[in-house]
């Protein structure tokens, strides 16, 4: 079996999985921008069925009360578990937040957008299971890839459970942020798996301070992850504003402090990446590092541009998922660049 399932096959499967995860993040952004997050009021089924209805006539007259009761019952179980772990404030919020008791009217478009989002999630779950099985077959060649494949499988299972809590709590603020950060951790694990399978490449560069460069990339990663978390909070604030204000042009003025922190913080992110690009260009004529540098600079520019359009042109829905996707791509490239620099540092240390 191991002769048939090669490392090359495993690497391709892993890259396909990474692409699928990024696609799911994009689709998740579309779900949020279209307000389809509660298109299915239950989980894992949608309106009690694996194939959702296409008309409200297919639902019982009291469907809102039925699914609200199910969500409340589930939240009580989750709250007890969370309280037992010491998170009593969060448990109380899960049980008593007033937004949790609001049940939306059936909307066929929103229902099917959310349903397709869930179908893609199932596909990713199957892909990561395939990654785990393949890693098990190749375990004699590399025990570490089996560990990280198992970690990815555990993360995607936990992500699915957390997604069910996001639904049962009616998109409770904080839950969506946790859901997003966990997705970023999953992306990092999959990127690391792909990196572990790469052949060593010769680095044609006289640059010697790879350790310092790695430190700057760690700083960039941490600060940018904070920016992603802030952006998710801004997204949550937009959801709240949209419930009371129908005119999109008034949304920005009605946003809280999180929006202004997110916007101002982007200037720090820009300056850091200009400096980081300068440091990366000093590396020399290494094709991979140059490509990473150009990608980072280009994506940061597009991210700030889309952010400005969102801010000054009434938050166009079409750009919201694009803005999110760019952020996750930047984070992935940062992490990959960090892996490359740390590996080069290790090789140079061994050769000294």
């Amino acid at each position: 079996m191991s002769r048939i399932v090669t490392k090359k096959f495993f690497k391709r499967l892993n890259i396909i999985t990474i692409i699928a995860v990024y696609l799911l993040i994009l689709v998740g952004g579309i779900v949020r921008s279209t307000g389809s997050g509660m298109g299915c009021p239950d989980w894992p089924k949608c309106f009690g069925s694996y194939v959702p209805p296409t008309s409200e006539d297919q639902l019982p007259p009291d469907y809102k009360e039925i699914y609200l009761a199910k969500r409340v019952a589930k939240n009580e179980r989750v709250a007890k578990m969370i309280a037992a772990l010491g998170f009593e404030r969060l448990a109380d919020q899960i049980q008593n937040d007033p937004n949790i008791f609001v049940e939306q009217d059936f909307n066929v478009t929103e229902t099917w957008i959310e349903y397709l989002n869930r179908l893609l999630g199932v596909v990713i779950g199957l892909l990561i299971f395939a990654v785990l099985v393949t890693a098990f077959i190749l375990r004699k060649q590399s025990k570490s890839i089996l560990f990280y494949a198992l970690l990815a499988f555990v993360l995607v299972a936990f992500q699915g459970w957390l997604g069910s809590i996001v639904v049962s709590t009616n998109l409770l603020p904080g839950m969506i942020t946790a859901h997003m950060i966990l997705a970023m951790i999953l992306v990092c694990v999959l990127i690391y798996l792909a990196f572990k399978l790469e052949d060593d490449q010769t680095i044609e560069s006289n640059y010697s301070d790879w350790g310092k460069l790695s430190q700057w990339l760690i700083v960039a990663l941490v600060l940018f992850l904070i920016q992603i978390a802030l952006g998710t909070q801004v997204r949550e604030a937009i959801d709240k504003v949209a419930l009371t204000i129908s005119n999109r042009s008034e949304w920005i003025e009605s946003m809280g402090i999180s929006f202004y922190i997110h916007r101002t913080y982007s200037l720090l992110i820009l300056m850091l990446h200009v400096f980081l690009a300068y440091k990366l260009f000093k590396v020399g004529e290494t094709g991979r590092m140059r490509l990473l540098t150009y990608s980072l600079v280009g994506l940061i520019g597009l991210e700030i541009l889309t952010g400005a359009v969102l801010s000054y042109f009434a938050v166009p829905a079409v750009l919201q998922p694009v803005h999110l996707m760019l952020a996750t791509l930047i984070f992935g490239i940062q992490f990959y660049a960090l892996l490359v620099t740390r590996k080069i540092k290790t090789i140079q240390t061994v050769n000294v």
Side-chain angles (χ1 to χ4, degrees):
M1 179 65 74
S2 60
R3 292 180 180 179
I4 300 174
V5 180
T6 63
K7 279 192 173 183
K8 186 176 181 180
F9 170 82
F10 182 59
K11 182 180 177 181
R12 287 179 177 175
L13 176 62
N14 195 62
I15 291 173
I16 290 171
T17 305
I18 292 172
I19 294 171
V21 171
Y22 272 112
L23 180 60
L24 180 60
I25 291 172
L26 177 62
V27 173
I30 294 172
V31 169
R32 297 299 309 284
S33 65
T34 56
S36 304
M38 290 301 294
C40 296
D42 50 341
W43 192 97
K45 295 183 179 180
C46 185
F47 286 102
S49 174
Y50 288 111
V51 179
T54 56
S55 170
E56 191 171 1
D57 296 337
Q58 298 172 296
L59 298 171
D62 58 343
Y63 71 91
K64 289 185 181 180
E65 290 78 8
I66 292 173
Y67 292 108
L68 175 59
K70 289 182 178 181
R71 290 197 298 107
V72 169
K74 181 173 183 176
N75 290 340
E76 289 178 354
R77 296 193 298 269
V78 172
K80 288 180 180 179
M81 181 184 67
I82 291 176
L85 296 174
F87 299 99
E88 295 179 359
R89 184 177 178 181
L90 177 59
D92 179 70
Q93 190 178 13
I94 288 174
Q95 284 185 299
N96 301 310
D97 189 288
N99 291 324
I100 289 175
F101 302 98
V102 177
E103 196 68 26
Q104 295 182 9
D105 294 331
F106 174 79
N107 182 300
V108 64
T109 302
E110 294 177 2
T111 293
W112 279 85
I113 289 175
E114 170 60 14
Y115 178 67
L116 292 174
N117 177 50
R118 293 186 185 187
L119 284 181
L120 183 56
V122 171
V123 171
I124 288 172
L126 293 174
L127 282 172
I128 291 182
F129 180 72
V131 167
L132 176 60
V133 171
T134 308
F136 180 78
I137 294 171
L138 298 175
R139 66 190 183 281
K140 291 183 179 179
Q141 299 182 41
S142 176
K143 292 182 179 179
S144 63
I145 62 172
L146 177 58
F147 170 79
Y148 287 104
L150 179 59
L151 177 58
F153 184 75
V154 171
L155 284 173
V156 80
F158 184 72
Q159 182 77 324
W161 176 81
L162 187 59
S164 74
I165 304 304
V166 170
V167 172
S168 69
T169 58
N170 201 356
L171 312 179
L172 183 69
M175 287 294 176
I176 297 171
T177 300
H179 199 53
M180 186 67 218
I181 291 176
L182 189 61
M184 291 293 90
I185 295 173
L186 176 60
V187 166
C188 287
V189 172
L190 292 172
I191 289 175
Y192 185 73
L193 262 175
F195 180 77
K196 289 283 290 183
L197 297 168
E198 287 187 354
D199 296 327
D200 291 340
Q201 297 185 20
T202 303
I203 304 298
E204 299 176 0
S205 172
N206 295 322
Y207 189 75
S208 59
D209 203 359
W210 291 96
K212 184 71 70 175
L213 184 57
S214 295
Q215 292 174 6
W216 278 111
L217 280 166
I218 291 172
V219 171
L221 267 171
V222 172
L223 293 181
F224 198 75
L225 184 59
I226 293 172
Q227 178 71 327
I228 290 175
L230 287 170
T232 308
Q233 291 177 356
V234 169
R235 177 66 251 186
E236 291 173 353
I238 288 176
D239 290 341
K240 285 185 178 180
V241 170
L243 292 175
T244 56
I245 302 175
S246 59
N247 189 351
R248 301 179 75 95
S249 62
E250 299 177 7
W251 284 3
I252 295 299
E253 296 178 359
S254 304
M255 295 285 289
I257 190 66
S258 59
F259 168 75
Y260 297 100
I261 293 175
H262 180 65
R263 187 173 66 178
T264 305
Y265 191 79
S266 65
L267 297 176
L268 173 63
I269 296 297
L270 175 61
M271 290 186 291
L272 173 61
H273 280 82
V274 168
F275 172 76
L276 191 59
Y278 165 73
K279 298 287 286 185
L280 287 169
F281 272 119
K282 287 178 64 177
V283 166
E285 296 299 327
T286 47
R288 182 163 51 167
M289 293 306 296
R290 279 294 171 92
L291 177 61
L292 289 173
T293 305
Y294 288 133
S295 299
L296 267 181
V297 172
L299 289 173
I300 286 288
L302 286 173
E303 178 75 344
I304 292 176
L305 177 62
T306 55
V309 174
L310 287 167
S311 178
Y312 294 106
F313 292 90
V315 197
V318 69
L319 279 186
Q320 291 175 9
V322 174
H323 191 63
L324 173 63
M325 174 62 109
L326 289 171
T328 56
L329 285 172
I330 291 167
F331 185 80
I333 291 173
Q334 288 174 332
F335 182 70
Y336 181 76
L338 174 63
L339 294 176
V340 172
T341 56
R342 290 179 68 86
K343 186 172 185 178
I344 297 171
K345 177 191 173 185
T346 302
I347 292 173
Q348 287 188 339
T349 302
V350 171
N351 292 335
V352 171

